[in-house]
Amino acid sequence: DGGITQSPKYLFRKEGQNVTLSCEQNLNHDAMYWYRQDPGQGLRLIYYSQIVNDFQKGDIAEGYSVSREKKESFPLTVTSAQKNPTAFYLCASSTPDGYNEQFFGPGTRLTVL
Amino acid sequence: GQQLNQSPQSMFIQEGEDVSMNCTSSSIFNTWLWYKQDPGEGPVLLIALYKAGELTSNGRLTAQFGITRKDSFLNISASIPSDVGIYFCAGQLDTNAGKSTFGDGTTLTVKP
């Protein structure tokens, strides 16, 4: 079955540690995205990538980093510079063919203690 | 940046009732998308709208792209318990940029 996988589902880290969230898709989509969701709020764009080896900052990129070495993978690193990292993180992908219907993964809930 | 105002923030309805929610923006969008999110899961696309004035249905769901391109609404008819969840609208200005602006969501509770 084609889809987007995110792992792990729940992640706990100590304050000051970097942590990397995984996102893999087998939909052959070119574009991938990372969003952050806080309780009672909508999704805010962190980073997005239209093609391999290229990515752009979204609205809240500070304290985060990404890489896009393979079409299927778009890992997100939450660094110690991110002041409030506890949140629900969602990865999405789409085909940039003019109609950007984004398909989402199941999400990773990160809790920083 | 662009912002979407989604209302109402929450709704409590009886099973069988119809539901209406909407999104408004101070600026125009070229595409409107409506998603549903179950607790602890990723959003799932319900309806996509690409032209001003467009009215599209998906089963009991109907959505419209406002003629001014600054608003959209979603209607759910004859609600059932599995309609419970958070409904998000999203707007895109440039369909090739891949950037969506999301509303804050409408939380729907359906009482059997």
Side-chain angles (χ1 to χ4, degrees), chain B residues 37-111:
Chain B
Q37 183 179 32
D38 291 327
E41 300 294 331
V44 174
L45 182 66
L46 299 173
I47 293 178
L49 303 159
Y50 304 111
K51 295 181 182 179
E54 179 181 357
L55 185 70
T56 298
S57 293
N58 178 7
R60 294 178 296 105
L61 278 61
T62 302
Q64 184 158 28
F65 192 144
I67 196 71
T68 64
R69 297 167 64 192
K70 293 183 179 181
D71 62 338
S72 177
F73 73 75
L74 174 71
N75 286 341
I76 305 173
S77 63
S79 59
I80 59 178
S82 62
D83 290 334
V84 166
I86 305 175
Y87 292 80
F88 290 101
C89 62
Q92 294 180 356
L93 179 59
D94 182 341
T95 55
N96 286 320
K99 294 177 65 176
S100 296
T101 300
F102 283 81
D104 286 345
T106 294
T107 300
L108 178 63
T109 301
V110 180
K111 295 180 257 187

Side-chain angles (χ1 to χ4, degrees), chain A residues 13-78:
Chain A
R13 280 294 182 269
K14 291 184 178 179
E15 191 173 345
Q17 291 181 334
N18 292 355
V19 59
T20 297
L21 281 59
S22 168
C23 178
E24 304 280 332
Q25 54 98 1
N26 60 4
L27 299 168
N28 199 32
H29 285 173
D30 291 311
M32 298 185 74
Y33 315 83
W34 273 105
Y35 292 91
R36 170 184 173 135
Q37 185 177 26
D38 293 287
Q41 297 187 29
L43 282 63
R44 292 184 289 168
L45 184 64
I46 305 173
Y47 268 98
Y48 65 105
S49 168
Q50 299 283 69
I51 56 174
V52 174
N53 292 322
D54 187 51
F55 48 83
Q56 288 80 40
K57 293 181 179 180
D59 299 320
I60 56 165
E62 185 175 353
Y64 300 98
S65 66
V66 294
S67 63
R68 187 82 188 277
E69 297 178 0
K70 299 187 298 182
K71 188 176 184 178
E72 303 80 21
S73 179
F74 190 40
L76 172 75
T77 297
V78 184

Side-chain angles (χ1 to χ4, degrees), chain A residues 78-108:
Chain A
V78 184
T79 75
S80 57
Q82 168 50 236
K83 298 304 179 188
N84 186 19
T86 295
F88 190 48
Y89 290 88
L90 287 159
C91 178
S93 69
S94 71
T95 53
D97 57 357
Y99 298 108
N100 276 312
E101 300 175 10
Q102 296 181 10
F103 297 87
F104 286 84
T108 292

